[in-house]
């Protein structure tokens, strides 16, 4: 009988490789962030700073947070859903499951509600809890701060996901 992928991956002897994958993911994220901060941000900072000044920090945080959420949730989410929508059978994590399009359509109101809730609440929470220095485009965090933030973000995402 076909075995579940989870049974093959989540074994006692896989703790080391799993922690290694987490460490590699965190390291990769910190490197990409650092690369973006050194190569892309200097060119974009004056424009972003001008928008932030014109709109105000709260509105700027809400608008940019919503735009980033929209692109990542609906854009990347749609790309990740394409194999299921196109009935691709190879490389499936759950080989015995098929897409129930009716169930997906019935779930869309909740999915859309959750999207708007997160897209609006997270930027507002960040604006309310972060210090004013977090919105300064000229004072960027050092590598140590990025590492700390990535570790906290990973932990928070895992807790909130499950």
């Amino acid at each position: 009988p076909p075995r579940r992928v989870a049974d093959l991956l989540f074994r006692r002897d896989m703790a080391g490789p799993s922690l290694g994958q987490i460490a590699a993911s965190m390291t990769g994220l910190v490197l990409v962030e650092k690369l973006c901060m050194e190569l892309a941000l200097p060119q974009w900072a004056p424009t972003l700073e001008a928008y932030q000044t014109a709109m105000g920090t709260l509105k700027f945080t809400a608008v940019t947070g919503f735009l980033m959420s929209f692109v990542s949730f609906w854009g990347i989410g749609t790309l990740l859903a394409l194999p299921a929508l196109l009935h691709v059978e190879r490389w499936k994590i759950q080989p015995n499951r098929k897409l129930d399009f009716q169930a997906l359509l019935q779930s869309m109101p909740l999915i859309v509600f959750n999207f708007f809730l997160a897209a609006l609440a997270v930027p507002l929470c960040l604006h309310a809890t972060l210090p004013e220095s977090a919105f300064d485009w000229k004072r960027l965090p050092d590598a140590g701060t990025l590492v700390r933030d990535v570790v906290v973000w990973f932990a928070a995402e895992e807790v909130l996901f499950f």
Side-chain angles (χ1 to χ4, degrees):
R3 296 180 64 185
R4 292 178 11 166
V5 173
D7 293 336
L8 298 172
L9 292 178
F10 300 113
R11 302 183 322 251
R12 227 179 263 278
D13 61 332
M14 292 302 292
S18 294
L19 292 175
Q21 289 175 345
I22 292 169
S25 297
M26 289 182 178
T27 303
L29 182 58
V30 169
L31 291 175
V32 168
E33 286 178 344
K34 195 70 176 157
L35 191 66
C36 288
M37 284 183 0
E38 291 185 9
L39 298 179
L41 197 56
Q43 296 171 0
W44 281 79
T47 304
L48 293 171
E49 199 169 30
Y51 279 129
Q52 182 178 346
T53 302
M55 298 170 83
T57 303
L58 177 59
K59 187 175 180 183
F60 177 78
T61 304
V63 169
T64 55
F66 183 83
L67 290 174
M68 288 188 300
S69 296
F70 187 86
V71 169
S72 62
F73 187 85
W74 296 108
I76 296 171
T78 300
L79 287 175
L80 292 173
L82 279 178
L85 293 169
L86 299 174
H87 306 291
V88 175
E89 295 296 320
R90 293 181 63 175
W91 306 300
K92 288 178 65 172
I93 294 172
Q94 297 177 320
N96 298 329
R97 299 281 312 254
K98 302 254 187 271
L99 171 66
D100 183 354
F101 198 71
Q102 278 304 110
L104 176 64
L105 287 179
Q106 288 175 345
S107 300
M108 284 309 288
L110 181 60
I111 292 168
V112 171
F113 172 77
N114 286 339
F115 164 74
F116 279 106
L117 179 65
L120 296 173
V122 170
L124 294 176
C125 289
L126 289 174
H127 181 267
T129 58
L130 289 176
E132 191 62 35
S133 62
F135 302 98
D136 184 356
W137 294 98
K138 292 181 179 76
R139 288 186 42 209
L140 300 176
D142 60 1
T145 303
L146 286 178
V147 170
R148 180 206 63 203
D149 290 352
V150 164
V151 169
V152 169
W153 176 76
F154 260 77
E157 283 292 323
E158 286 301 311
V159 169
L160 292 173
F161 182 78
F162 290 106

